[in-house]
Amino acid sequence: MALAHSLGFPRIGRDRELKKAQEAFWKGELNEAGLRAVGSELRKTHWDLQKKAGIELLPVGDFAWYDQVLTHSLMFGVIPERFRPHDGKATLQTLFGMARGVSDSCCGGAHAQEMTKWFDTNYHYLVPEFSADQQFQLGWEQLFEEVEEALALGHKVKPVVIGPLTYLWLGKAKGAEFDKLELLDRLLPLYGQIFQRLATLGVEWVQIDEPILVLDLPQEWKNAFERAYNQIQRDPLKKLLATYFGGLEENLGLAANLPVDGLHIDLVRAPEQYPTILDRLPAYKVLSLGLVNGRNVWRCDLEQALSVLQHAHERLGERLWVAPSCSLLHSPVDLGREDKLDAELKSWLAFAVQKCEEVSILARAINEPQAAPVLEALAQSRAVQAARAASSRIHKPAVQARVAAVTAADSQRKGPFAKRIEAQRNRLQLPAFPTTTIGSFPQTAAIRLARQSFKQGKLTEAEYTEAMHSEIRHAVTVQERLGLDVLVHGEAERNDMVEYFAEQLDGYVFTRFGWVQSYGSRCVKPAVIFGDLSRPKAMTVEWIRYAQNLTDKVMKGMLTGPVTMLMWSFPREDVSREVQARQLALAIRDEVVDLEAAGIKIVQIDEAAFREGLPLRQAQWQHYLDWATEVFRLCASGVRDETQIHTHMCYSEFNDVIESIAAMDADVITIETSRSDMELLEAFEAFAYPNEIGPGVYDIHSPRVPDASEMANLLRKAAKRIPAERLWVNPDCGLKTRGWPETEAALVHMVSAARQLRKELA
Ligand SMILES: Nc1nc2c(c(=O)[nH]1)N[C@@H](CNc1ccc(C(=O)N[C@@H](CCC(=O)N[C@@H](CCC(=O)N[C@@H](CCC(=O)O)C(=O)O)C(=O)O)C(=O)O)cc1)CN2
Ligand SMILES: [Zn+2]
């Protein structure tokens, strides 16, 4: 027998019910009981969907009001001083305060916890903050309540918790410098308490996620795994240790031998772990094989997966489980909803619900190999694989020929930076500390409504264009009034910085309901790359030209770079990431050249996901960095020296990649730095980064409006590290999630801070 289980299901709901309820709650339009009711309805629906799809052990603990790491911080009582409730009892208000910051007119409020990328995904978690004297105590009942809720519904459940080592790894030591591992012994007893309580509820299996086992771990952390799990084993629950997003490699022996009852491995990302694992796994353990890709939307090649499974079954018998490779948090919910998708393409795809069905049919293929549904599913899968392989929609000889004809010279600007910047300065005539923004202005409800009406045919194209033009006019007027130096058009016409371009490129298909959580209530709808990519016609030129014609100031053209397009889409699996990025680069290069021809003097090519594309294992870094920098240069190098190329990156830990960022050779890079108090500039200083830099002077994730003096102080700090003549002044990132009032207020302060610095350094 093989058992079908799942590591986690998306919590947002098919219609983003959770997002809508969260936002209504924050606005005061929904009360707590209403919000809780939506949560429990969603959990019920998701368990039902998974059970119906054939999942035998249902995950509990995958639901979160904002983020699963944050839920753990509450569960462990890891609540920073500034959020601690007076009576010590954390509430939903505490949780949302930690996630979103608290504004308080009298004392400046409390800034939100830092948010960062969850491994190499586009999901963001809230970074736990540890103090040297950190105490842990159980203080949040959610997991137990949800287990009881599921049991009451008659489900067989497997609670999911983040393991102690991964939880500590993800957090940050605050205040005095100390080693986070010192906290382990204090944290471990809580796991014992949690497991005791789960056992009392009648739970048999618990899933402990330790995805850091697929990283290059320092020796002390490896040792800590043995110590921790030896201590944890002393309780009655059966434990499945889950690893995902990569291979265990040198940690395979360690993971296989920890005193737990089962191990889950990701065979999609790291198929080479099989069959080695069979020889290393103790004979009493369950092995869970992650064979259905939780990170992409392609239908599983069932025959291929089954061949591994059959082999494993001969060795493991009853000890074999089947699952998606990782939690389905990263997958859209239900393909069934896609009523407008091209039928052929649709037949190639699977979302979370369908992935559960795939897992279940794989298990059934072991248990009842001759059952009619099994044979039918296998035949269908075979047909889909064959149809895709032979489809003429995928392979475009012209695109491939163009990629093949690229020469080294194509990814070099004509002149060196020193020469270019002189030409650019002469042409642009900007003051010292030039001010600009990152591209987007508030995506108001009115903008979204207009776009929705246009899509539903309630607005004509001309009416929609006029609505967007009116937004652009507004953005330009505001920027002129505020006295910004380099203007942007505001991106009102873009649903998302990646999807907008994907919709206009050949080789992409996009969905109507394929939403995936990015952070909190914010979702993205990644488009799907199915074939060779090309640009049938200019994508942004008319909008930017319209904006430029409204003003005498310089209007920055705004594009998304090839690596970010790729990282925030669902990629093909039949060709490498590098090949897809090169095709994207050529399409974007044509757009850059078209913008230049339309008289645009500055073009920004966002590479927000550059750092996120870095492989989890260091051994693979250089290869990635080589092609990622090269494709950026390929798209940026079609223009004359006097055309200024900007790039933008957020959430980036630059130390590791600074050399490559310099190799991208953008004339100006704007980065997120305000929350790290300009510390991120250390890398730029240490490396003597040669080009211009705009370190973000305020955090755009919070509605809080910092004073001009706060921003001026940050700029002074920046000027200590970077020569003043190479500094720009801008926010951390785009302003689309903000409202107009706080945006204008903050930009007034930003412009005044820049003026202050000009005076001081004149
Ligand atoms: N792809 C991507 N990844 C990214 C970022 C990014 O900008 N894009 N930024 C970083 C942070 N992540 C973010 C992710 C999403 C959003 C965001 O604002 N998402 C919007 C959706 C954006 C969108 O696609 N909007 C569409 C659809 C809007 C919509 O919900 N329409 C309503 C109808 C209109 C209404 O009543 O509001 C509906 O379909 O029901 C549009 O504008 O057309 C949201 O969740 O609210 C922000 C940051 C990192 N990763
Ligand atoms: Zn950004």
Side-chain angles (χ1 to χ4, degrees):
M1 291 296 273
L3 179 132
H5 76 118
S6 162
L7 307 195
F9 198 80
R11 49 190 163 244
I12 52 172
R14 297 186 204 217
D15 284 311
R16 290 178 297 156
E17 291 89 342
L18 185 58
K19 169 204 178 61
K20 291 168 192 168
Q22 284 166 318
E23 291 177 357
F25 177 71
W26 297 333
K27 274 194 241 157
E29 290 164 6
L30 183 70
N31 63 20
E32 181 167 334
L35 178 65
R36 288 190 180 278
V38 171
S40 85
E41 194 54 41
L42 281 170
R43 291 190 294 273
K44 179 175 183 299
T45 306
H46 296 158
W47 289 321
D48 283 345
L49 277 172
Q50 293 171 85
K51 196 180 215 170
K52 206 167 136 242
I55 297 296
E56 296 165 77
L57 257 185
L58 301 174
V60 182
D62 49 354
F63 180 85
W65 292 111
Y66 199 96
D67 159 49
Q68 71 272 16
V69 180
L70 179 61
T71 311
H72 283 73
S73 292
L74 283 147
M75 180 157 72
F76 300 144
V78 181
I79 303 176
E81 186 77 47
R82 64 186 184 284
F83 300 110
R84 223 165 282 161
H86 299 303
D87 62 358
K89 267 203 85 63
T91 62
L92 267 186
Q93 296 295 350
T94 317
L95 183 149
F96 288 133
M98 288 163 76
R100 309 177 67 232
V102 181
S103 36
D104 177 338
S105 43
C106 76
C107 19
H111 61 271
Q113 289 197 6
E114 202 177 314
M115 191 169 72
T116 198
K117 297 271 169 191
W118 176 248
F119 297 83
D120 58 356
T121 73
N122 194 5
Y123 178 78
H124 306 68
Y125 71 92
L126 286 153
V127 179
E129 292 180 23
F130 303 128
S131 59
D133 63 352
Q134 186 69 52
Q135 300 300 318
F136 300 94
Q137 73 193 77
L138 275 192
W140 191 251
E141 292 290 304
Q142 186 178 339
L143 181 65
F144 311 111
E145 288 165 1
E146 288 172 7
V147 167
E148 289 186 80
E149 185 183 49
L151 293 173
L153 291 166
H155 297 310
K156 198 165 173 217
V157 300
K158 174 185 51 140
V160 182
V161 295
I162 298 174
L165 276 312
T166 293
Y167 178 73
L168 287 180
W169 179 271
L170 297 174
K172 233 181 181 173
K174 291 276 167 160
E177 285 261 317
F178 64 94
D179 182 356
K180 289 183 286 182
L181 268 183
E182 287 166 17
L183 306 178
L184 182 62
D185 289 331
R186 274 177 256 163
L187 175 60
L188 285 175
L190 275 79
Y191 280 85
Q193 294 166 28
I194 292 168
F195 296 157
Q196 276 297 345
R197 286 194 55 185
L198 291 174
T200 312
L201 292 175
V203 164
E204 183 187 1
W205 277 95
V206 66
Q207 171 186 323
I208 310 178
D209 284 4
E210 289 283 17
I212 65 166
L213 282 166
V214 309
L215 306 180
D216 303 310
L217 287 179
Q219 190 58 45
E220 315 84 82
W221 284 78
K222 294 184 197 176
N223 299 344
F225 263 99
E226 295 197 331
R227 193 150 55 85
Y229 281 82
N230 275 314
Q231 185 167 333
I232 280 183
Q233 74 172 317
R234 291 192 292 262
D235 75 78
L237 272 192
K238 289 191 187 159
K239 301 173 195 75
L240 177 77
L241 187 77
T243 69
Y244 42 82
F245 299 152
L248 289 162
E249 299 186 14
E250 80 290 353
N251 300 331
L252 190 131
L254 170 66
N257 287 304
L258 290 174
V260 290
D261 309 271
L263 175 68
H264 171 85
I265 56 173
D266 181 341
L267 287 189
V268 174
R269 273 288 179 87
E272 70 283 353
Q273 311 188 80
Y274 190 87
T276 322
I277 186 69
L278 293 181
D279 299 327
R280 308 293 290 274
L281 197 76
Y284 66 89
K285 278 195 189 184
V286 159
L287 182 64
S288 162
L289 299 183
L291 286 164
V292 171
N293 195 347
R295 294 283 299 272
N296 210 336
V297 288
W298 301 106
R299 258 172 92 154
C300 179
D301 182 342
L302 292 178
E303 287 197 312
Q304 197 197 330
L306 188 57
S307 69
V308 176
L309 214 51
Q310 278 162 341
H311 182 266
H313 186 238
E314 282 164 23
R315 294 277 295 266
L316 297 164
E318 298 290 311
R319 295 188 288 124
L320 178 63
W321 290 14
V322 197
S325 58
C326 59
S327 165
L328 296 171
L329 174 67
H330 313 287
S331 166
V333 181
D334 186 4
L335 182 68
R337 296 221 52 202
E338 299 295 333
D339 45 1
K340 298 251 162 76
L341 201 61
D342 166 310
E344 184 185 23
L345 274 162
K346 189 172 169 181
S347 74
W348 298 348
L349 303 178
F351 293 177
V353 171
Q354 291 70 37
K355 285 174 190 295
C356 290
E357 289 165 0
E358 290 178 330
V359 164
S360 137
I361 207 79
L362 282 170
R364 195 159 173 205
I366 294 294
N367 304 336
E368 307 168 62
Q370 296 308 321
V374 169
L375 298 177
E376 194 184 316
L378 287 172
Q380 243 186 44
S381 171
R382 196 178 316 130
V384 163
Q385 300 305 325
R388 254 183 86 187
S391 168
S392 61
R393 301 169 70 178
I394 294 176
H395 306 283
K396 295 273 149 61
V399 175
Q400 292 171 10
R402 188 170 173 208
V403 169
V406 168
T407 66
D410 293 334
S411 38
Q412 285 298 330
R413 293 289 298 267
K414 289 164 191 71
F417 174 72
K419 184 156 168 270
R420 301 196 307 263
I421 198 71
E422 206 184 297
Q424 293 162 14
R425 283 187 179 145
N426 284 334
R427 187 181 191 209
L428 298 170
Q429 294 296 321
L430 297 170
F433 296 100
T435 53
T436 191
T437 58
I438 306 303
S440 56
F441 275 115
Q443 275 276 330
T444 58
I447 295 177
R448 291 194 175 151
L449 197 62
R451 188 156 33 251
Q452 190 189 35
S453 303
F454 172 48
K455 284 190 176 162
Q456 293 170 346
K458 292 185 204 151
L459 276 188
T460 64
E461 183 163 356
E463 285 166 334
Y464 176 68
T465 304
E466 171 45 29
M468 296 302 113
H469 280 173
S470 140
E471 295 293 338
I472 293 174
R473 290 195 297 274
H474 176 66
V476 170
T477 310
V478 171
Q479 293 172 86
E480 288 191 319
R481 180 166 35 112
L482 296 172
L484 285 152
D485 300 305
V486 171
L487 310 196
V488 297
H489 78 297
E491 303 181 26
E493 80 288 4
R494 304 185 185 176
N495 44 5
D496 172 76
M497 61 186 282
V498 170
E499 198 184 8
Y500 176 75
F501 291 95
E503 286 174 359
Q504 302 185 70
L505 290 169
D506 281 349
Y508 261 112
V509 65
F510 42 94
T511 64
R512 289 183 74 198
F513 307 102
W515 294 99
V516 178
Q517 186 179 20
S518 181
Y519 70 89
S521 71
R522 296 285 169 174
C523 302
V524 293
K525 190 146 59 56
V528 180
I529 304 179
F530 71 89
D532 289 332
L533 295 155
S534 59
R535 184 194 77 144
K537 58 177 199 292
M539 304 180 282
T540 63
V541 176
E542 285 316 313
W543 297 110
I544 307 292
R545 199 204 313 262
Y546 178 82
Q548 179 66 86
N549 286 342
L550 297 170
T551 178
D552 294 331
K553 294 259 175 106
V554 183
M555 180 61 59
K556 192 159 60 161
M558 196 58 59
L559 303 173
T560 302
V563 174
T564 305
M565 288 294 301
L566 178 68
M567 288 303 299
W568 292 351
S569 303
F570 288 118
R572 284 166 76 172
E573 285 169 350
D574 57 332
V575 293
S576 67
R577 293 203 296 169
E578 176 182 349
V579 165
Q580 297 171 74
R582 272 180 206 286
Q583 296 178 354
L584 286 162
L586 288 171
I588 298 159
R589 178 185 175 99
D590 293 347
E591 189 73 13
V592 178
V593 169
D594 282 353
L595 284 168
E596 178 183 65
I600 300 305
K601 300 182 179 118
I602 303 184
V603 179
Q604 177 173 315
I605 308 167
D606 291 324
E607 280 294 28
F610 185 86
R611 178 63 176 72
E612 164 188 326
L614 200 62
L616 295 174
R617 294 283 191 168
Q618 248 178 45
Q620 294 151 29
W621 281 12
Q622 201 53 50
H623 172 67
Y624 164 76
L625 290 169
D626 288 346
W627 68 253
T629 51
E630 197 205 319
V631 296
F632 179 82
R633 292 203 314 266
L634 180 58
C635 73
S637 297
V639 290
R640 298 189 300 271
D641 282 353
E642 67 264 31
T643 297
Q644 188 165 72
I645 299 290
H646 289 212
T647 190
H648 162 73
M649 292 183 192
C650 32
Y651 304 111
S652 293
E653 180 55 64
F654 294 102
N655 290 303
D656 299 334
V657 295
I658 186 74
E659 214 171 316
S660 305
I661 289 175
M664 286 165 74
D665 200 22
D667 299 307
V668 182
I669 180 169
T670 56
I671 55 175
E672 174 178 324
T673 36
S674 76
R675 278 186 292 189
S676 77
D677 203 28
M678 295 285 152
E679 271 169 27
L680 279 182
L681 286 179
E682 265 172 44
F684 288 82
E685 183 188 26
F687 184 74
Y689 180 81
N691 302 6
E692 302 203 341
I693 309 180
V697 295
Y698 78 89
D699 175 20
I700 56 86
H701 295 97
S702 164
R704 182 174 162 267
V705 176
D707 290 338
S709 60
E710 201 177 317
M711 299 194 219
N713 276 336
L714 285 176
L715 282 171
R716 286 185 200 104
K717 277 192 185 162
K720 288 208 178 97
R721 298 193 185 274
I722 310 288
E725 66 275 12
R726 286 202 261 121
L727 283 175
W728 285 64
V729 180
N730 45 262
D732 268 346
C733 186
L735 297 159
K736 65 182 165 197
T737 60
R738 298 269 56 85
W740 274 108
E742 75 252 21
T743 295
E744 286 193 46
L747 290 176
V748 167
H749 293 172
M750 188 185 89
V751 170
S752 119
R755 289 182 178 152
Q756 177 67 32
L757 266 280
R758 279 172 207 158
K759 264 193 237 151
E760 289 171 20
L761 288 153

